[in-house]
Amino acid sequence: MGDVIVLDLETQKSFDEVGGRDNLHLLRVSVVGIYSYNQNLFRTFTEWETPSLRGMLEEAGLIVGFNIKRFDYPVLEPYLKRNLRDLPTLDIMEDVQRFLGHRLSLDTLVKATLGEGKTGHGLDAIRYFREGEIEKLKRYCLDDVRLTRDLYDYGKQHGHMKYEKNSESRSIPVSWASPASIKNRS
C-alpha cells in the first residue's frame, strides 16, 4: 500500500483575475504543500517544482484534501500533464456535502472539531506571493495541510467531524478507518 499524502495548494491569481471559477487552470500554482504519513514529513513545492509531485501522487495509496477534486486538482493538472481525478482521493468536502447537502469551510470544521482555526485566507496567500514573502506563503499553506491532516486523523479515530449550527455542536459521520475502505466507496 502506498503512502497517504495530504495536499493543499495556493495560487498566484484570484478567481476575479481569471474570469471566474470556470477557469481554475489559469490560477497558477504559487506553492503546493503536502504531508507524507510514511515519512512523517511536511514539504512544499514552488510552481517550478510541481512536476516532481507527479510520481509521489501516482504512487500514493490515498491523497487527502479539502475541496481537492474541485479546486486543487484542476489547478495542478496543467503542471503534471495528467488527469488527477482517477487517483485514490479522499475529498473531505465531498463527505460534508453528501451529509449536509451543502458545503462548509475548512475553518468552520476545524474550529468546531479541533478547537483551532485557520491562520488566514486564500487572498492572504496571493498577497504573500506577490510581495515575495515566500516563507510566509509556505507556512500558511503548510498550516492548512496540518489542519486538514488533523481533521482527517480526528475523523478516522472518532468516526465523525463536528460543526456548529445555531450555537449547537453537531456531527458529520465519516468512515475513514482505512484507506482501502475510502478507495472502495462510490
Side-chain angles (χ1 to χ4, degrees), residues 158-169:
H158 299 281
H160 69 274
M161 299 178 286
K162 297 178 185 176
Y163 71 103
E164 283 198 15
K165 183 173 182 179
N166 302 324
S167 300
E168 180 184 314
S169 181

Side-chain angles (χ1 to χ4, degrees), residues 147-171:
L147 290 171
T148 303
R149 179 203 62 186
D150 293 353
L151 187 62
Y152 169 65
D153 286 345
Y154 184 95
K156 273 194 324 187
Q157 183 177 356
H158 299 281
H160 69 274
M161 299 178 286
K162 297 178 185 176
Y163 71 103
E164 283 198 15
K165 183 173 182 179
N166 302 324
S167 300
E168 180 184 314
S169 181
R170 301 195 179 189
S171 292

Side-chain angles (χ1 to χ4, degrees), residues 64-185:
V64 177
F66 190 85
N67 201 30
I68 193 171
K69 290 181 183 176
R70 293 178 61 183
F71 181 75
D72 302 69
Y73 281 178
V75 174
L76 194 54
E77 285 171 346
Y79 294 92
L80 304 185
K81 299 183 181 6
R82 99 179 285 288
N83 180 339
L84 299 173
R85 289 173 199 91
D86 62 344
L87 296 176
T89 303
L90 168 63
D91 189 332
I92 293 172
M93 174 70 84
E94 287 183 345
D95 282 354
V96 171
Q97 199 161 5
R98 189 177 301 118
F99 183 76
L100 293 177
H102 61 84
R103 301 158 56 109
L104 292 176
S105 70
L106 177 62
D107 193 47
T108 296
L109 291 167
V110 297
K111 280 180 180 172
T113 306
L114 305 173
E116 62 179 303
K118 286 173 46 86
T119 57
H121 186 275
L123 294 177
D124 294 329
I126 293 170
R127 183 174 44 82
Y128 297 151
F129 174 77
R130 291 187 178 159
E131 294 175 358
E133 296 186 80
I134 303 306
E135 290 309 310
K136 264 189 183 177
L137 173 64
K138 288 178 178 180
R139 278 194 306 275
Y140 170 80
C141 184
L142 288 180
D143 192 56
D144 276 4
V145 171
R146 180 187 60 79
L147 290 171
T148 303
R149 179 203 62 186
D150 293 353
L151 187 62
Y152 169 65
D153 286 345
Y154 184 95
K156 273 194 324 187
Q157 183 177 356
H158 299 281
H160 69 274
M161 299 178 286
K162 297 178 185 176
Y163 71 103
E164 283 198 15
K165 183 173 182 179
N166 302 324
S167 300
E168 180 184 314
S169 181
R170 301 195 179 189
S171 292
I172 299 169
V174 296
S175 54
W176 302 336
S178 73
S181 68
I182 295 165
K183 287 188 335 189
N184 294 329
R185 57 183 189 171

Side-chain angles (χ1 to χ4, degrees), residues 10 17 26 37 48 54 102 112 122 126 178 186:
E10 304 306 329
E17 293 172 297
L26 300 175
Y37 276 84
W48 306 115
R54 183 176 174 152
H102 61 84
I126 293 170
S178 73
S186 47

